[in-house]
Amino acid sequence: MGWSGQRPLTALIGCCDSRVPPEVVFDADPGELFVVRNVANLVPPYEPDGGQHSTSAALEFAVQELKVANIVILGHARCGGVRAFLSARRAPLSPGDFVGKWVSILGPAHDDIAGVLSGNEDEDCSLLEVASLRRGLANLRTFPCISILEEKGRLALHAVYFSIATGRLLVLDEATNTMLPIDGERIVLPPMSCVEVQ
């Protein structure tokens, strides 16, 4: 059993938002999900720089020690972290501005959709919530242990989006750039501005 004593098949990166508990959204029993929660369900890129990286450490543990078969990024509507990134007029919550520095990870996702942003904060927030899922998948693939296992077919990466208002769950289909709800309706996403994610 190793030093973990747990054997979940799925690691999940979710938001700290109290309205989006992953175990409830997926009707999961204890031990089924290895859950990492942070502001705005962000996945940082691989940065072996000697810093303290909580989400990266959890991913390393899930993949290397727990040997999960799936990694899921769970995004959601009405995300306060995404809104904080878009709201330039908001003052930092503390002198350290931990939230501001953390959500700066959204910068590349914002750049991906800059050409389709309308200036309407609600609409732009929704677009960025989904764009951050695509960028999160790209960032997962910057981790060598993740990309190698995905290439070998031993690890699957997924991104899903939860509507707080309706309870609807959408799954990102990367091949067709669409969100696929359970009811089968397809929602085509705006293209990412970068052809290749570095």
Side-chain angles (χ1 to χ4, degrees):
M1 298 258 293
W3 30 281
S4 67
Q6 57 178 319
R7 284 289 170 242
L9 292 177
T10 300
L12 184 141
I13 301 155
C15 185
C16 294
D17 193 305
S18 60
R19 301 166 296 174
V20 191
E23 294 84 356
V24 174
V25 171
F26 290 100
D27 192 25
D29 290 327
E32 285 188 281
L33 299 175
F34 180 75
V35 177
V36 183
R37 293 178 81 168
N38 63 51
V39 173
N41 50 266
L42 298 179
V43 178
Y46 178 69
E47 294 177 323
D49 59 8
Q52 295 173 314
H53 301 282
S54 172
T55 299
S56 299
L59 284 168
E60 179 181 71
F61 186 76
V63 172
Q64 303 285 63
E65 172 67 19
L66 299 178
K67 304 191 184 318
V68 296
N70 303 282
I71 300 176
V72 175
I73 306 171
L74 172 60
H76 70 94
R78 301 179 184 174
C79 181
V82 171
R83 194 168 296 275
F85 175 86
L86 288 173
S87 182
R89 63 188 177 278
R90 173 175 265 168
L93 296 174
S94 73
D97 191 22
F98 296 109
V99 173
K101 289 175 184 169
W102 175 252
V103 298
S104 70
I105 294 171
L106 286 165
H110 182 268
D111 293 345
D112 290 340
I113 59 168
V116 297
L117 296 175
S118 67
N120 177 299
E121 192 171 273
D122 289 336
E123 292 174 5
D124 291 349
C125 193
S126 295
L127 287 171
L128 187 53
E129 288 160 357
V130 173
S132 75
L133 292 175
R134 291 187 292 193
R135 182 58 70 160
L137 290 172
N139 284 350
L140 282 174
R141 294 181 177 114
T142 66
F143 288 78
C145 63
I146 291 174
S147 61
I148 289 168
L149 290 174
E150 185 186 29
E151 287 171 14
K152 291 181 176 181
R154 292 169 44 194
L155 181 64
L157 308 182
H158 313 275
V160 296
Y161 183 80
F162 179 69
S163 169
I164 292 173
T166 65
R168 194 177 196 198
L169 195 62
L170 306 157
V171 180
L172 174 62
D173 180 347
E174 288 186 279
T176 61
N177 198 38
T178 55
M179 297 298 288
L180 302 174
I182 295 171
D183 63 18
E185 175 189 344
R186 298 175 75 84
I187 300 170
V188 179
L189 304 172
M192 291 174 66
S193 63
C194 340
V195 176
E196 187 173 327
V197 178
Q198 298 297 323

